[in-house]
Amino acid sequence: MQKSYIIGFPRIGEQRELKKALESYWSGQCSMEQLQSTADMLKSRHWHYQKDAGIDCISSNDFSYYDAMLDTAQMLGAIPRRFAHIKDEKKRYFAMARGSKEAVAMEMTKWFNTNYHYLVPELSLDDRYEIDAQKVLDEYEQALQEGVETKINLIGPITFTALAKRSDGGDAMELLGRIEEAYEQLLARLSTLEKQPLLQIEEPILATDRVAELLHLVKPAYERLCRAAAPCKIAVATYFEHSVEAVKELVETPVHAFALDFIYGKENFKALPAIAQSGKHLIAGVVDGRNIWKNELQGSLELLESIAKEVPKRKLSVSTSCSLLHVPYTLEYETKLDPEIRSWMSYAKEKLQEVSLLKRLFFHESPAQDDLQALENNSALFAQMKRCEKIHDANVQKRMRERDKSQRAGKFAQRIVRQKQRLNYPELATTTIGSFPQTPDIRKVRREYKKGAIAKAEYEAAMKRYIKKAIEVQEEAGLDILVHGEPERNDMVEYFGEMLEGFAFSQNGWVQSYGSRCVKPPVIYGDVSRKRPMTVEWITYAQSLTDRWVKGMLTGPVTILNWSFVRNDLPPSEVSKQIALCISDEVNDLQDGGIGIVQVDEAAFKEGYPLRSKDRKGYERWAVESFRLSVSSAREETQIHTHMCYSNFNDIIHTIEAMDADVISIETARSGNKLLHIFAQTGYKQEIGPGVYDIHSPRIPSVDEMADQIEKLLEVLPKEQLWINPDCGLKTRKWEEVIPSLENMVKATQQVRRKRS
Ligand code: GLN
Ligand code: ZN
């Protein structure tokens, strides 16, 4: 078995080449062939990076044009009926991902507790699965031709099915048997490959609580799959948590190896005796695939030694904890980072070196002098980091100790009366989530200002022109509560991070979020504080232009935390509360500036949830506390909104309630009113804006369609409690799409209001 192992590598390209190629293909500026050649170049480059770093076990089929779950659906022939008429395979693929004129896109949701989004497969009893292995084979063959013998990455059937939904009602798991049959066909095909590649089958669902309901399926499934794959061997990979229950089942099947996460799944230790006894291989994920800090080599070697006490060294490999998809490519382009902070960091390419080095240090009888030196330097670096003054701010620590008020005054029932009097908005009040199209113009101005190419006055004038246009558009469309449009923000977290102390910013630290979209998470390396107001000037300017109310727009502490790479020398709960104190100062400045409504977005609240229920209470406690702390300065008559990019609140409804926001907006367009019932059933009192149209697609929804959607909402919740808004921010859309969509949304609302009055 190979000794250094990488679960998977990012694909968007270190200069986001794939993003650019995809977007120009979508806009008709480049051909499919050009897109394909970019893809081939990237695959090849990534294999060679790994090979050159001395990685023994490299993947194929970790590339995707959009998403691996979508690829899997395509491979199985699980094509939702509304796309079946599209004959061109690539066109159909992108239509499923992004929607088309006739058909709404497939639902997209977050991949476990990451900020990567996958497309939710839609299964139905009518499906006829038939394997199309072309993509898998092509990638494998391409690598071979380039002299790289790869393992083949596949998403496992249990995870695929468990994450799918049924378009005809019923439980997706009922179709597992048929999905498995299709996988059997696939594996049988792969088993004929001459070099008998290792098959890495990823089953992260088995590292979550859902394993309880799925456990009985694991053994029969993998007995089947192993039989079909022989003589190819199967390595089952799980990540983000432990998968002890499943491993204990799988040791009794012909599965050859387990890839387990020892960073976020320490409990995997409990699986070691069973693995040892079965004589199977263990691929030990000891290099964090989700964070950008350097590996503490000494600690990892000790971790590996303690693993080796149970599983013999000859049966061990060293690996990343998960795919490197979740970290940026390389520090090579980071020329502007503070060199000291940079010296603490490690991206995907650097992590390849770490895995390789750990392999040599751990497995070689007498490691090379250079490697020993590297180990020593690494230990010295960590010792020095612990003392570094850049990290510790006495004032922040004092304020954290002495903070007295952690929640706002007044109960919701009182507050809402005062707010309604003051703000005087109608029933079914219309609003948006905050951002408006990020036009090439506005991006350019920001970029130039950042570079120092234009003066502050010019920058501010451009921002204000945009804000003015945004206000005009909204007044014309007839919206009730307006926003300033967020032109000054390239990203809702980065913007705040840049204004706060304790954050560092990379130049090229892009991580794929969905499809062609990437985010560049800030790096929180030290104590966090606010030096000056961050948004007041923009929001109060917007408010000065109109008689309607303008919502202030902030990002919440939990989201800032969850979308950043966070220091790991302090518990996240503490980092989160440091941020919350800064936000509460901002809320206070906004209300002092005459702003009546402040939205504190917690788009990423849910994705921070631990995957195992035993850890959930703890997270909920500090996450809710952080949010409440962040709005603790709000007066009763200041209305606090929050926004979350989800639709399913079933298991966290009481936590959402405990956040005590006056109004919450959520994503519902893709799921109708199905998931809204929980708010009614639990007697949720605060106001709710369930999105009435999907903003992920360029499609302009019609008045009737949205009126229907509003009527559906009204079947569940009373009009006094409802707000009308899109699913999420509009920054990824174009004005030509946004203006008619909002006009239609307002018309639809008026139509419903008229009908009901
Ligand atoms: N206010 C932000 C926006 O409109 C919220 C974005 C989000 O929820 N992801 O863009
Ligand atoms: Zn959102």
Side-chain angles (χ1 to χ4, degrees):
M1 182 87 185
Q2 298 138 314
K3 292 296 180 191
S4 55
Y5 190 104
I6 299 295
I7 300 283
F9 203 72
R11 58 215 181 205
I12 204 81
E14 63 197 42
Q15 298 293 345
R16 290 178 294 156
E17 291 89 342
L18 180 60
K19 170 195 176 67
K20 291 165 196 163
L22 279 169
E23 289 173 2
S24 75
Y25 169 72
W26 292 334
S27 68
Q29 281 159 6
C30 89
S31 65
M32 190 61 219
E33 289 67 39
Q34 283 166 306
L35 174 59
Q36 245 156 10
S37 87
T38 303
D40 288 345
M41 177 277 288
L42 287 171
K43 282 179 266 181
S44 154
R45 191 201 273 168
H46 299 157
W47 288 320
H48 289 290
Y49 280 165
Q50 296 176 74
K51 200 172 172 197
D52 295 347
I55 299 300
D56 304 320
C57 199
I58 300 172
S59 328
S60 59
N61 205 38
D62 57 350
F63 183 83
S64 175
Y65 281 103
Y66 204 96
D67 167 54
M69 285 288 279
L70 179 62
D71 295 344
T72 308
Q74 165 110 338
M75 175 183 83
L76 294 166
I79 311 295
R81 198 184 295 157
R82 66 187 180 283
F83 301 104
H85 66 282
I86 308 176
K87 291 288 166 277
D88 181 291
E89 211 176 87
K90 271 274 155 348
K91 287 218 171 82
R92 190 180 63 203
Y93 177 88
F94 288 127
M96 285 157 72
R98 309 175 64 232
S100 66
K101 280 211 179 60
E102 313 88 62
V104 290
M106 289 166 71
E107 190 179 327
M108 193 163 55
T109 193
K110 309 210 177 199
W111 183 241
F112 300 91
N113 53 2
T114 74
N115 186 32
Y116 176 79
H117 300 61
Y118 68 93
L119 287 155
V120 180
E122 293 172 34
L123 308 179
S124 134
L125 268 184
D126 302 333
D127 290 343
R128 291 281 163 273
Y129 303 118
E130 204 181 318
I131 281 292
D132 175 357
Q134 204 55 45
K135 173 185 182 287
V136 182
L137 293 170
D138 286 351
E139 270 189 56
Y140 174 75
E141 295 294 341
Q142 189 196 337
L144 269 190
Q145 275 162 23
E146 303 209 11
V148 184
E149 225 179 278
T150 58
K151 63 173 157 114
I152 295 179
N153 287 14
L154 299 167
I155 289 176
I158 300 180
T159 297
F160 177 81
T161 314
L163 295 181
K165 60 180 187 182
R166 275 283 286 277
S167 52
D168 54 353
D171 179 1
M173 289 316 288
E174 286 169 10
L175 294 168
L176 181 67
R178 283 160 60 182
I179 298 279
E180 280 175 14
E181 252 168 57
Y183 270 80
E184 275 179 322
Q185 278 175 41
L186 168 75
L187 298 185
R189 173 70 187 85
L190 300 182
S191 74
T192 64
L193 291 170
E194 195 191 312
K195 299 199 185 286
Q196 300 170 11
L198 179 70
L199 308 176
Q200 171 183 297
I201 306 196
E202 297 173 37
E203 291 285 16
I205 198 80
L206 301 178
T208 72
D209 277 343
R210 287 195 62 189
V211 69
E213 89 206 54
L214 301 171
L215 198 58
H216 67 287
L217 302 166
V218 170
K219 219 156 88 180
Y222 277 83
E223 265 158 8
R224 254 174 112 167
L225 299 185
C226 290
R227 225 178 294 129
C232 288
K233 291 173 175 154
I234 290 179
V236 175
T238 61
Y239 33 80
F240 307 147
E241 248 299 352
H242 78 83
S243 55
V244 175
E245 304 93 327
V247 172
K248 285 185 175 163
E249 293 287 307
L250 286 167
V251 288
E252 291 174 25
T253 70
V255 160
H256 175 71
F258 300 102
L260 304 182
D261 182 338
F262 283 88
I263 301 290
Y264 298 95
K266 287 275 187 280
E267 247 185 274
N268 274 326
F269 267 95
K270 293 192 184 144
L272 296 183
I275 296 175
Q277 218 176 20
S278 67
K280 296 191 189 293
H281 285 259
L282 173 63
I283 300 150
V286 300
V287 170
D288 192 340
R290 293 186 60 173
N291 213 336
I292 44 81
W293 305 111
K294 252 193 191 137
N295 188 272
E296 191 173 4
L297 297 173
Q298 192 55 49
S300 296
L301 289 171
E302 281 159 21
L303 181 58
L304 286 167
E305 285 302 344
S306 58
I307 293 171
K309 285 208 182 88
E310 311 223 29
V311 178
K313 270 193 179 184
R314 71 194 149 77
K315 304 242 159 164
L316 278 180
S317 306
V318 181
S319 165
T320 52
S321 66
C322 61
S323 167
L324 294 171
L325 179 68
H326 308 289
V327 292
Y329 273 84
T330 168
L331 286 167
E332 282 157 47
Y333 304 106
E334 303 296 353
T335 52
K336 292 196 184 140
L337 272 175
D338 175 330
E340 188 168 21
I341 297 169
R342 186 183 188 272
S343 76
W344 305 332
M345 292 164 57
S346 163
Y347 289 174
K349 265 181 92 179
E350 291 78 32
K351 285 177 194 284
L352 298 177
Q353 299 296 341
E354 291 178 342
V355 169
S356 215
L357 177 58
L358 278 170
K359 162 190 145 173
R360 297 194 300 273
L361 288 167
F362 184 62
F363 290 109
H364 288 189
E365 288 293 326
S366 49
Q369 203 48 46
D370 283 356
D371 290 347
L372 291 170
Q373 188 60 50
L375 175 60
E376 205 172 293
N377 295 348
N378 180 272
S379 302
L381 181 81
F382 274 87
Q384 167 222 328
M385 224 169 119
K386 293 200 175 93
R387 296 187 306 263
C388 180
E389 282 179 9
K390 279 186 187 137
I391 298 179
H392 308 284
D393 179 336
N395 288 331
V396 174
Q397 288 162 12
K398 181 157 176 280
R399 193 165 171 207
M400 285 286 286
R401 276 194 308 274
E402 292 173 357
R403 65 169 201 270
D404 46 359
K405 195 161 151 255
S406 59
Q407 49 186 290
R408 64 187 299 203
K411 292 241 173 326
F412 171 73
Q414 287 149 239
R415 293 190 318 245
I416 195 72
V417 174
R418 297 188 59 176
Q419 291 164 13
K420 285 195 164 171
Q421 262 164 14
R422 177 184 184 207
L423 304 166
N424 196 27
Y425 52 85
E427 280 165 356
L428 303 175
T430 51
T431 190
T432 62
I433 307 305
S435 58
F436 277 126
Q438 289 268 322
T439 57
D441 275 359
I442 211 75
R443 286 214 183 90
K444 184 158 164 252
V445 173
R446 270 202 321 261
R447 225 172 22 239
E448 308 230 298
Y449 176 54
K450 214 169 184 174
K451 278 202 309 233
I454 62 170
K456 186 157 186 237
E458 195 178 325
Y459 163 75
E460 285 180 357
M463 294 301 131
K464 289 187 171 170
R465 271 197 305 279
Y466 182 103
I467 291 173
K468 191 150 179 276
K469 170 172 182 177
I471 295 290
E472 280 163 13
V473 164
Q474 295 172 84
E475 284 191 328
E476 252 158 60
L479 288 152
D480 298 307
I481 303 294
L482 315 189
V483 296
H484 79 296
E486 305 181 22
E488 77 286 11
R489 308 179 191 177
N490 54 346
D491 176 86
M492 65 187 285
V493 171
E494 185 171 283
Y495 177 77
F496 290 93
E498 276 180 343
M499 300 214 146
L500 294 167
E501 303 297 308
F503 283 74
F505 286 86
S506 63
Q507 282 161 276
N508 205 45
W510 296 104
V511 180
Q512 190 176 14
S513 161
Y514 70 90
S516 66
R517 301 263 162 209
C518 296
V519 293
K520 188 147 61 73
V523 175
I524 306 179
Y525 66 88
D527 289 338
V528 180
S529 61
R530 186 191 78 143
K531 291 288 174 268
R532 57 190 181 284
M534 304 181 282
T535 63
V536 177
E537 192 191 335
W538 306 124
I539 312 289
T540 52
Y541 172 71
Q543 185 63 83
S544 75
L545 300 171
T546 174
D547 294 335
R548 304 183 189 202
W549 287 99
V550 174
K551 260 196 295 198
M553 203 53 64
L554 305 174
T555 303
V558 182
T559 296
I560 293 184
L561 183 91
N562 284 342
W563 281 349
S564 298
F565 290 120
V566 187
R567 62 195 278 197
N568 44 23
D569 65 325
L570 200 66
S573 54
E574 291 300 293
V575 182
S576 172
K577 284 175 204 161
Q578 289 184 358
I579 304 168
L581 288 172
C582 304
I583 302 296
S584 89
D585 291 345
E586 189 73 15
V587 169
N588 198 40
D589 287 341
L590 283 168
Q591 66 185 357
D592 282 352
I595 300 302
I597 307 179
V598 181
Q599 179 171 310
V600 178
D601 289 325
E602 282 294 17
F605 190 88
K606 204 174 163 190
E607 75 202 34
Y609 264 73
L611 295 175
R612 296 281 190 164
S613 57
K614 68 174 180 8
D615 306 317
R616 243 164 241 177
K617 279 271 166 305
Y619 172 79
E620 286 176 335
R621 201 175 316 114
W622 66 253
V624 168
E625 227 179 276
S626 299
F627 181 82
R628 294 179 72 132
L629 181 60
S630 77
V631 298
S632 59
S633 56
R635 293 190 281 269
E636 289 195 19
E637 67 275 18
T638 302
Q639 187 166 69
I640 296 293
H641 289 216
T642 190
H643 165 71
M644 292 193 180
C645 301
Y646 313 103
S647 51
N648 190 344
F649 289 86
N650 289 356
D651 48 352
I652 61 166
I653 188 75
H654 295 297
T655 308
I656 299 304
E657 209 164 12
M659 288 169 68
D660 198 29
D662 302 308
V663 183
I664 182 175
S665 58
I666 59 176
E667 287 194 8
T668 1
R670 288 194 193 191
S671 54
N673 67 2
K674 220 172 60 226
L675 293 160
L676 205 56
H677 289 273
I678 190 71
F679 289 92
Q681 284 158 10
T682 53
Y684 187 89
K685 291 282 172 323
Q686 292 97 315
E687 305 194 345
I688 310 168
V692 295
Y693 82 87
D694 173 23
I695 57 87
H696 296 98
S697 139
R699 216 175 134 262
I700 296 163
S702 68
V703 176
D704 287 345
E705 186 182 333
M706 282 190 278
D708 277 355
Q709 176 77 0
I710 298 170
E711 292 288 357
K712 280 207 202 107
L713 305 179
L714 284 164
E715 286 167 15
V716 184
L717 292 169
K719 60 184 189 306
E720 296 74 25
Q721 202 178 358
L722 283 174
W723 286 63
I724 304 301
N725 45 257
D727 263 354
C728 193
L730 299 163
K731 68 183 213 174
T732 60
R733 298 271 63 89
K734 302 198 168 85
W735 280 115
E736 306 89 90
E737 297 154 6
V738 165
I739 294 174
S741 299
L742 291 179
E743 283 170 356
N744 288 355
M745 185 182 89
V746 171
K747 282 185 198 139
T749 308
Q750 287 164 345
Q751 193 174 303
V752 175
R753 279 184 197 142
R754 267 198 307 277
K755 215 169 103 193
R756 301 235 158 196
S757 64

